[in-house]
Amino acid sequence: MAQTGTALTRADSTAWSIACSREPVIRALATLPKLTPAAIAEACDELSLSRTRIFELVGRYRADPVTSSLLNRSRGVAKGFKRLAPDVDQVIADEIEQFHLSRPKPKLSQLVRRIKFSCLERELPPPSRKTIEARVVAIDRERLVAARDGRKAADDRYRPITGSFTADYPLQVVQMDHTPADIIVVDEHFRRPLGRPTLTLQIDVATRCIPGFYISLESPSNTSVGMAIRHAVLPKADWLQEREVEIDYPIYGIPDTLHLDNAKEFHSRALERGCQQHGIELNYRPIRTPHYGGHIERLIGTTIGEVHLLPGTTFSNIKEKGDYDAEGQACMTLRDFERWFAIQIGVYHGTIHSELGLPPLTAWTDALGIRPLPPRLPADTGAFLLDFLPFEMRKARREGIELFHLFYWHGALAPLIANSDRKVPVKYNPLNLSAVYVELPDGKYLTVPLRDHRRPPITKFEHDLALKTLRDRGRQSVDEQSLFSMIAEQRRIVVDALAKTKSARKTAQRIAYALHDGQPLTSSPPHPALPDIGPAGNDQPIVPFQIEERL
């Protein structure tokens, strides 16, 4: 039946018409108990075929009584027949098995050369490249990929998809992942290229809505995960107003389950504790089952595809990009891209989804009534992010709380000093170390600023770079003053290089964005409260680097 099916589907219309015209005549002959000369002669006249050909068709029809058995067959060697001598054939099989099906993946030309050498050593006639190539093409594809690329690659490509992740109502399951956005953004001051931002994106599996996202110049981390979760959970009205974006974005609420891959940032202690605090179940994809994250992967493909229409896009691959000058065409800042992306989400929410048959926002509205309970909001929306920030256990002493060689103090710490033998959880935001957050016995957080208020805000990556530089210079003991002096020196270097190097501009803009996004809870200036950067062409450097005067 496999051969019948192959002939049935591959026959062209002319060959099929000929077979159909033969079928009633040959069927009548095949039913006769004995083929008479008169019947054969009549069939020869009707089909214009020789007696030998009639006998052949009758024999084929009796063996397989279907029309496709009467198709004309090409002359030549039967499929699968091998002309090569058994010894040569064995050499090819051995070299393919031992050499070609291995890592690193040899090229076909290398395989051909190796087989020819093996044949010459055995005084056998070497086969042609075409013959060897035909043998390679005949190898089972899954076996070939498994041998040359690994079992996971073969499973991802060929394993049947027998399961997927589903949800019955909004916020039952939310998937999250990161991706580099296919666009080059520019700095706020010089309007020169910085690089590709990182997009952390979420999707509600039941309705395909996008609960929230986060865009930054930072690499994926537990902080970007927390920022994306906060954006997803909280109402968006104030966030949209600060960015002057007018779209309908009513998606909010604490999800029942976060469905994640096995990236390092999704296994942090901060994420685990924050989700436990708010009753969010963490569910990780089974290893080597990418189809379980298909919803977020398809959403990333959809949203990133829209980015390719923007100036400065890098496209998804070099073939699509061609000779397009992404850096030369780049003109959008990170904040511009954030606003554009928010508007694009509004477009996506209002467009009919191919799988749902209706817009995601309509699916969200219709399905809210199915939820067992209305969407949940955190009791303290202002402090919600703190539950997802990293923390360290520290003691409150008379000189304050020491973290990363920095000292923090607040008068409200005084009651904790009496119990200084006990450590308390101290949360910190790597985007801005100007304050830390001490978890009090009643579960609330106390914002504790730097003890020396003259100190400027700094980021964790600035701190780590300064600490490494001091260590490299032989400093065994590091104090707060030496750290801030080193950071001041590094910032002066960045300021001097702003107009000259892309890395300096990216560092400056990264610091500016990070300090803004990580502002302490006690101060919430309106967006985009970035430093005064002046118009393009102005040589005033981007600030927050006015640090020297306050040291």
Side-chain angles (χ1 to χ4, degrees):
M1 291 302 292
Q3 290 181 347
T4 301
T6 301
L8 177 65
T9 55
R10 291 189 177 180
D12 59 45
S13 57
T14 302
W16 185 252
S17 298
I18 293 173
C20 289
S21 65
R22 293 172 177 174
E23 195 275 338
V25 177
I26 300 301
R27 173 161 41 88
L29 290 176
T31 57
L32 294 175
K34 182 179 180 181
L35 295 178
T36 63
I40 293 296
E42 185 179 351
C44 289
D45 291 340
E46 186 171 351
L47 299 179
S48 300
L49 296 173
S50 66
R51 285 172 54 86
T52 303
R53 188 79 167 117
I54 293 296
F55 276 109
E56 177 192 349
L57 292 176
V58 171
R60 282 159 50 182
Y61 191 85
R62 282 175 173 173
D64 189 10
V66 291
T67 302
S68 57
S69 67
L70 305 178
L71 288 165
N72 289 329
R73 294 179 179 176
S74 58
R75 297 179 181 273
V77 178
K79 185 177 181 181
F81 180 81
K82 298 178 180 178
R83 297 177 181 269
L84 290 177
D87 291 344
V88 177
D89 189 65
Q90 188 61 47
V91 169
I92 296 176
D94 291 344
E95 293 297 343
I96 287 177
E97 188 69 32
Q98 299 168 14
F99 179 70
H100 191 67
L101 298 180
S102 65
R103 295 185 183 181
K105 301 181 288 186
K107 297 179 180 179
L108 180 63
S109 60
Q110 295 171 319
L111 175 64
V112 171
R113 187 163 54 247
R114 188 178 177 99
I115 289 175
K116 287 185 177 181
F117 287 157
S118 296
C119 288
L120 292 174
E121 287 178 352
R122 295 169 173 80
E123 297 183 351
L124 298 172
S128 67
R129 178 188 175 98
K130 186 175 181 181
T131 299
I132 298 172
E133 185 175 4
R135 299 295 172 85
V136 172
V137 170
I139 299 173
D140 178 75
R141 293 293 94 185
E142 182 176 357
R143 179 168 174 260
L144 180 69
V145 173
R148 291 165 63 85
D149 297 311
R151 185 71 254 172
K152 181 181 184 302
D155 287 344
D156 290 348
R157 189 177 303 181
Y158 298 110
R159 178 179 50 197
I161 297 177
T162 56
S164 61
F165 223 79
T166 60
D168 299 322
Y169 51 81
L171 298 179
Q172 182 184 17
V173 178
V174 171
Q175 291 183 341
M176 177 164 53
D177 207 351
H178 313 281
T179 184
D182 291 342
I183 188 173
I184 302 292
V185 295
V186 300
D187 69 276
E188 301 271 357
H189 178 63
F190 294 98
R191 296 282 168 164
R192 294 181 185 174
L194 295 177
R196 297 168 65 185
T198 299
L199 169 64
T200 302
L201 193 60
Q202 298 186 17
I203 185 172
D204 177 65
V205 173
T207 66
R208 307 300 199 275
C209 281
I210 300 176
F213 66 95
Y214 180 62
I215 302 175
S216 73
L217 294 175
E218 310 297 317
S219 299
S221 65
N222 51 12
T223 305
S224 56
V225 170
M227 298 290 281
I229 292 175
R230 178 177 70 170
H231 185 251
V233 167
L234 301 184
K236 313 293 190 297
D238 292 342
W239 187 91
L240 292 171
Q241 185 177 4
E242 289 172 359
R243 288 153 181 79
E244 299 179 349
V245 175
E246 297 182 4
I247 60 171
D248 188 15
Y249 202 162
I251 317 299
Y252 69 88
I254 298 174
D256 298 342
T257 300
L258 270 181
H259 190 224
L260 311 166
D261 64 21
N262 290 279
K264 180 180 178 181
E265 63 272 11
F266 292 139
H267 285 273
S268 68
R269 182 176 60 165
L271 178 62
E272 179 183 352
R273 294 289 179 88
C275 288
Q276 291 171 344
Q277 174 79 338
H278 294 279
I280 303 172
E281 179 184 356
L282 285 176
N283 192 314
Y284 296 96
R285 301 181 198 170
I287 297 176
R288 299 179 179 176
T289 53
H291 57 279
Y292 276 90
H295 300 297
I296 188 66
E297 300 294 344
R298 285 191 293 272
L299 176 65
I300 286 175
T302 299
T303 53
I304 294 303
E306 297 296 333
V307 175
H308 297 167
L309 300 176
L310 297 176
T313 178
T314 60
F315 295 94
S316 296
N317 56 63
I318 195 67
K319 290 184 179 180
E320 291 183 1
K321 182 180 178 182
D323 59 356
Y324 181 80
D325 182 9
E327 292 198 353
Q329 296 296 322
C331 62
M332 298 183 75
T333 67
L334 188 73
R335 297 309 183 197
D336 292 335
F337 179 59
E338 183 185 58
R339 293 183 68 252
W340 175 88
F341 193 80
I343 295 171
Q344 187 59 39
I345 287 178
V347 175
Y348 165 81
H349 280 167
T351 304
I352 294 178
H353 194 281
S354 59
E355 293 185 21
L356 300 177
L358 70 166
L361 192 56
T362 302
W364 170 275
T365 304
D366 294 346
L368 275 179
I370 304 176
R371 276 188 57 86
L373 296 171
R376 295 185 296 139
L377 279 174
D380 186 350
T381 57
F384 177 72
L385 175 65
L386 299 183
D387 293 329
F388 294 88
L389 292 180
F391 66 94
E392 300 287 344
M393 301 300 293
R394 290 291 186 270
K395 293 180 180 180
R397 304 185 184 278
R398 286 185 296 174
E399 61 270 23
I401 291 177
E402 183 181 3
L403 184 67
F404 307 129
H405 304 284
L406 308 177
F407 284 90
Y408 298 85
W409 173 255
H410 190 288
L413 290 176
L416 299 179
I417 296 176
N419 298 316
S420 59
D421 58 325
R422 297 181 182 178
K423 293 183 178 181
V424 294
V426 179
K427 297 268 187 176
Y428 64 93
N429 191 336
L431 301 179
N432 193 325
L433 295 181
S434 61
V436 294
Y437 311 94
V438 177
E439 185 176 342
L440 301 176
D442 60 0
K444 295 182 180 180
Y445 288 102
L446 173 66
T447 301
V448 183
L450 283 165
R451 184 177 61 182
D452 188 344
H453 293 179
R454 296 172 301 170
R455 304 294 190 196
I458 63 171
T459 65
K460 182 66 164 56
F461 67 83
E462 284 184 289
H463 167 278
D464 293 345
L465 180 59
L467 183 62
K468 180 180 183 302
T469 304
L470 289 171
R471 298 295 192 200
D472 291 343
R473 293 183 180 181
R475 292 289 297 272
Q476 298 301 318
S477 60
V478 176
D479 56 26
E480 183 176 292
Q481 179 58 40
S482 63
L483 272 172
F484 276 94
S485 297
M486 179 55 63
I487 292 172
E489 180 181 336
Q490 292 171 345
R491 287 184 172 182
R492 292 186 195 105
I493 293 172
V494 170
V495 169
D496 292 341
L498 272 176
K500 302 176 183 178
T501 69
K502 176 180 175 181
S503 61
R505 291 191 297 275
K506 185 172 183 179
T507 298
Q509 200 67 72
R510 181 184 176 193
I511 294 171
Y513 286 138
L515 293 178
H516 172 267
D517 288 344
Q519 292 174 86
L521 297 181
T522 51
S523 60
S524 300
H527 185 88
L530 290 172
D532 182 14
I533 54 179
N538 189 337
D539 291 333
Q540 176 188 351
I542 186 169
V543 183
F545 300 122
Q546 291 176 349
I547 168 177
E548 300 88 332
E549 298 88 342
R550 292 186 279 181
L551 287 176

